[in-house]
Amino acid sequence: MESLKSSLVIILLVFVSGVIQVKAAVNSVYCSNPASRCYGKYIECPYECPSTYSHDPKAKVCYANCDSPICKSQCKFRKANCDSPGSACYDPRFIGGDGIVFYFHGKSNEHFSLVSDRNLQINGRFIGHRPAGRTRDFTWIQSLGILFKSHTFSLEATKVAKWDNEIDHLKFTYNGQDLAIPEGPLSIWYSEEKDVKVERVSSKNSVIVSLKDTAEILVNVVPVTKEDDKIHNYQVPADDCFSHLEVQFRFFNLSSKVDGVLGRTYRPDFENPAKPGVAMAVLGGEEKFKTTSLYSADCNTCVFSAESGSDNQETSEIMEFGTLDCTRRSSAGYGIVCKK
């Protein structure tokens, strides 16, 4: 009997020790978004993803969901998810902040406002071609141009005839200067003011771009594959595999006047004409969203102003917490679904 009790005590001690070690291994994350009710709080990570970093690009990591009314952390993948709100992938297919899928084709070799808010402008350059007999271009998003405060940042998929997974196809610029970000997971670049961060998720072709307290952008570079070409009859030429971006956005502090191809779907009063369940719903409006360059905010619906990055913003225009339905989201915080 005494022997059995001793064994039970040893097992209990081992179990308790293991729990303490697991507990100690769990990190906390800090909510740095000043507009959140969770601002300034440290939130413990879930046991399923105890760390905010991982050398495995397929692993989930911990992040602070500052939009959560109860200030909780969540697990998220670190690569763009094309089936979640806030995504822009394929040719190109968007999933709005309202969760509704729609297509916006644009035109090849032109630029369009994807998101335009008073302190943030994100444009996309579209590439593609028009095979004989078609009435419109096949298009993909080749690059993003970002206006943030008084800075400019761009990332683009470089043009190649034949795709090679062993080659990095990403190019970056900041304030007009090329950036050399070393290859390899967890390679990180910060702007001088620490308000722009670029982190490689894998050694090549996947990054996360963070704009302090404003947005997080997950980006993959992919080609149009032979299988895609066969299914959709793109008729891809032999000298270009149309390497392009798969993008997933997460925004903070958007105003109620946000606009753009994707941005408008985050407005509380936006009624998406593309109804849920409609196959291949195409939204037009190219002329409303067209900009003259990757760094221009001169479209008919653009609302960005470089001066708006100051601290004198009118907070009354920012969407209040009460307008957000944080219970319907299934995308670990990517995209905001608003109640109608």
Side-chain angles (χ1 to χ4, degrees):
M1 189 68 177
E2 291 298 325
S3 176
L4 179 60
K5 287 182 178 180
S6 298
S7 298
L8 290 174
V9 169
I10 292 172
I11 292 172
L12 182 60
L13 288 173
V14 170
F15 175 76
V16 171
S17 175
V19 170
I20 292 174
Q21 290 179 12
V22 171
K23 189 81 171 179
V26 174
N27 294 333
S28 294
V29 284
Y30 179 76
C31 181
S32 61
N33 183 358
S36 167
R37 66 180 65 182
C38 307
Y39 177 61
K41 293 186 177 182
Y42 285 90
I43 309 169
E44 188 175 276
C45 293
Y47 291 126
E48 298 86 351
C49 55
S51 176
T52 56
Y53 295 96
S54 174
H55 288 279
D56 180 2
K58 297 182 180 180
K60 288 184 177 181
V61 296
C62 173
Y63 87 103
N65 183 1
C66 296
D67 297 329
S68 168
I70 58 175
C71 303
K72 64 184 293 187
S73 61
Q74 292 182 346
C75 298
K76 68 173 182 180
F77 289 108
R78 307 182 74 222
K79 284 196 172 186
N81 182 350
C82 292
D83 295 318
S84 289
S87 61
C89 303
Y90 314 130
D91 60 345
R93 187 195 75 173
F94 292 83
I95 303 183
D98 52 9
I100 296 177
V101 177
F102 66 94
Y103 289 78
F104 176 85
H105 296 305
K107 293 181 181 179
S108 178
N109 298 317
E110 293 190 358
H111 307 86
F112 298 92
S113 169
L114 303 184
V115 178
S116 185
D117 207 359
R118 57 191 181 181
N119 64 341
L120 176 67
Q121 178 78 29
I122 303 176
N123 296 332
R125 177 178 183 265
F126 286 36
I127 57 169
H129 76 138
R130 183 181 302 187
R134 287 191 56 82
T135 57
R136 67 166 182 84
D137 299 339
F138 286 120
T139 54
W140 298 268
I141 299 175
Q142 180 265 342
S143 59
L144 296 178
I146 299 171
L147 302 174
F148 175 59
K149 297 183 177 178
S150 59
H151 305 294
T152 61
F153 177 85
S154 74
L155 70 163
E156 66 177 80
T158 57
K159 180 179 178 179
V160 290
K162 186 177 181 181
W163 181 263
D164 186 346
N165 284 322
E166 298 305 314
I167 297 176
D168 186 53
H169 300 279
L170 273 169
K171 181 180 178 181
F172 311 91
T173 68
Y174 181 68
N175 290 339
Q177 301 296 315
D178 289 345
L179 293 181
I181 301 177
E183 295 180 14
L186 306 188
S187 176
I188 299 175
W189 173 88
Y190 286 97
S191 64
E192 186 175 350
E193 298 175 1
K194 302 291 186 181
D195 51 358
V196 181
K197 172 185 174 184
V198 183
E199 178 186 357
R200 287 194 184 270
V201 177
S202 57
S203 60
K204 302 172 181 68
N205 298 315
S206 291
V207 295
I208 299 176
V209 179
S210 301
L211 309 176
K212 186 178 179 181
D213 301 328
T214 302
E216 185 178 68
I217 310 169
L218 282 68
V219 181
N220 300 326
V221 180
V222 295
V224 174
T225 65
K226 291 182 179 180
E227 183 180 0
D228 293 334
D229 192 12
K230 183 178 180 180
I231 292 173
H232 300 286
N233 193 28
Y234 291 137
Q235 302 179 44
V236 172
D239 63 344
D240 194 347
C241 67
F242 292 120
S243 57
H244 60 280
L245 306 180
E246 293 180 340
V247 187
Q248 186 184 3
F249 298 94
R250 182 174 182 242
F251 300 107
F252 314 99
N253 304 335
L254 289 176
S255 79
S256 59
K257 295 182 179 180
V258 61
D259 216 300
V261 174
L262 178 66
R264 58 185 167 168
T265 67
Y266 289 83
R267 292 202 304 257
D269 60 349
F270 180 70
E271 294 186 8
N272 201 322
K275 302 304 180 183
V278 176
M280 294 292 292
V282 178
L283 298 190
E286 282 86 352
E287 293 307 314
K288 293 193 302 181
F289 303 113
K290 183 179 176 180
T291 65
T292 54
S293 72
L294 195 62
Y295 295 127
S296 297
D298 55 0
C299 69
N300 293 338
T301 59
C302 289
V303 297
F304 173 79
S305 172
E307 290 75 25
S308 296
S310 67
D311 295 330
N312 298 322
Q313 297 178 11
E314 296 180 13
T315 56
S316 61
E317 290 186 3
I318 295 177
M319 288 186 284
E320 296 294 334
F321 227 116
T323 66
L324 303 180
D325 179 0
C326 297
T327 64
R328 291 174 52 196
R329 291 182 292 171
S330 59
S331 57
Y334 289 85
I336 298 174
V337 177
C338 297
K339 290 179 179 177
K340 302 297 183 184

